[in-house]
């Protein structure tokens, strides 16, 4: 809404004040919700579910690669026969290209988690900066592992008004989640595991993390989650290719990935 329109609303008589207030603030509140609510899809389509056939779930691990956690995660996933999408940060990939290559060599997927993980400022970056954050991360992944990411996730799930135009131009799908553990500050793994287990079902997309000062707890969360998945007969598998979207579909919700083709 233009400044002039808001000035006109402010001049309405007192009886119209509730309506004027609603019209005055609701667009901004809606926009703030879309930017800062991690799984809000009003600005563009988010994938939040995967094919449920065969007890499949998608396990995602954000914020690596990290020498303190990535090798242990690769061993852990291998022991459980599980595959994961690692949403990696470009500057960390450049610092540890061998770890990014190891993720791909172990059959896991590398996702784009921006170049610098600027969670506090990403929402207000100019379109050119958003493009640079995406492209520098993708270039780092390709240089290290020989692949370009298919999926993107914003730092801390905080989006930007220009984000989905940039993703569409690059053929990237935004992979959200259906359950997360909130493992960033928990001093022990039980609560994050409990939050994840409440959303653990065929078709779920699960958000976990590695790296950081809470790394031991984060590793324990993934360990407990994989054990429970195994007990329930669920398997962590890679998502299929994101659906192709015509340009006219930008801004609409894409709630799930297509089921893989039958063999």
């Amino acid at each position: 809404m233009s400044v002039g329109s808001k000035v006109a609303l402010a001049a309405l008589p007192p009886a119209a004040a509730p309506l004027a207030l609603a019209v005055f603030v609701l667009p901004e509140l809606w926009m703030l919700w879309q930017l800062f609510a991690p799984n809000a899809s009003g600005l563009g389509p988010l994938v939040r579910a995967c094919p449920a056939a065969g007890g499949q779930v998608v396990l995602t691990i954000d914020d690596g690669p990290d020498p303190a956690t990535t090798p242990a995660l690769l061993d852990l996933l291998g022991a459980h026969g599980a595959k994961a999408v690692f949403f990696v940060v470009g500057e960390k990939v450049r610092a540890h290209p061998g770890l990014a290559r190891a993720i791909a060599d172990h059959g896991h997927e590398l996702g784009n988690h921006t170049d610098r993980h600027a969670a506090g400022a990403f929402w207000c970056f100019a379109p050119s900066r958003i493009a640079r954050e995406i492209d520098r991360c993708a270039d780092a992944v390709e240089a290290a592992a020989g692949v370009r990411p298919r999926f993107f996730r914003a730092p801390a799930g905080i989006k930007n008004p220009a984000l989905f135009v940039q993703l569409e131009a690059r053929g990237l799908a935004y992979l959200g989640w259906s359950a997360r553990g909130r493992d960033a500050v928990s001093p022990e793994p039980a609560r994050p595991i409990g939050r994840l287990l409440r959303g653990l079902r065929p078709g779920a997309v699960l958000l976990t993390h590695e790296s950081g000062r809470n790394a031991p707890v984060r590793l324990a969360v993934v360990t407990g989650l994989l054990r429970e998945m195994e007990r329930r007969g669920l398997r962590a598998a890679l998502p299929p290719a994101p659906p192709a979207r015509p340009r006219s579909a930008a801004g609409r919700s894409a709630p799930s990935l297509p089921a893989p083709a039958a063999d």
Side-chain angles (χ1 to χ4, degrees), residues 63-67 87-100 110-119 125 129 132-144 149 155 211:
D63 296 354
D66 188 320
F87 277 99
V88 294
V89 178
E91 63 180 4
K92 292 186 177 183
V93 172
R94 287 191 294 276
H96 309 290
L99 290 178
L110 290 155
N112 189 320
H113 203 35
T114 72
D115 190 56
R116 299 182 63 84
H117 200 275
F125 282 166
R129 178 68 182 274
R132 188 159 64 249
E133 284 287 322
I134 296 170
D135 291 341
R136 281 179 59 82
C137 181
D139 291 345
V141 169
E142 186 171 31
S211 192

Side-chain angles (χ1 to χ4, degrees), residues 110-234:
L110 290 155
N112 189 320
H113 203 35
T114 72
D115 190 56
R116 299 182 63 84
H117 200 275
F122 186 79
W123 68 275
C124 63
F125 282 166
S128 60
R129 178 68 182 274
I130 293 293
R132 188 159 64 249
E133 284 287 322
I134 296 170
D135 291 341
R136 281 179 59 82
C137 181
D139 291 345
V141 169
E142 186 171 31
V147 296
R148 289 189 78 81
R150 302 183 300 165
F151 294 99
F152 175 89
R153 179 177 287 159
I158 298 172
K159 298 177 287 295
N160 179 288
L163 174 60
F164 287 92
V165 172
Q166 302 293 340
L167 296 182
E168 184 178 37
R170 291 158 177 78
L172 283 165
Y174 192 115
L175 188 60
W177 58 83
S178 56
R180 61 174 173 169
R182 299 179 184 270
D183 52 21
V185 295
S186 179
E188 46 81 33
R191 285 189 177 181
I193 291 173
R195 295 186 187 104
L196 287 161
L197 294 185
R198 285 195 289 273
L200 180 59
R201 58 183 60 88
V205 179
L206 307 173
L207 168 60
T208 66
H209 296 82
E210 62 167 313
S211 192
R213 61 184 179 184
N214 220 31
V217 170
R218 290 174 159 180
L219 284 172
V221 168
V222 177
T223 300
L225 180 60
L226 288 171
R227 288 174 178 168
E228 184 61 23
M229 287 172 55
E230 204 168 66
R231 190 186 72 81
R232 298 187 188 186
L234 300 173

Side-chain angles (χ1 to χ4, degrees), residues 1 6 9-10 12 15-30:
M1 180 179 290
K6 290 191 173 184
L9 284 172
L12 290 174
L19 176 61
L21 181 63
V23 174
F24 193 89
V25 303
L26 283 179
E28 280 76 8
L29 291 177
W30 180 89

Side-chain angles (χ1 to χ4, degrees), residues 33 35 39 43 57 64 79 87 104 106 109 125 158 173 221 224 226 238 255:
W33 175 260
L35 291 175
N39 257 353
L43 297 178
V57 302
F87 277 99
H106 281 74
E109 177 141 0
F125 282 166
I158 298 172
V221 168
L226 288 171
L238 298 183

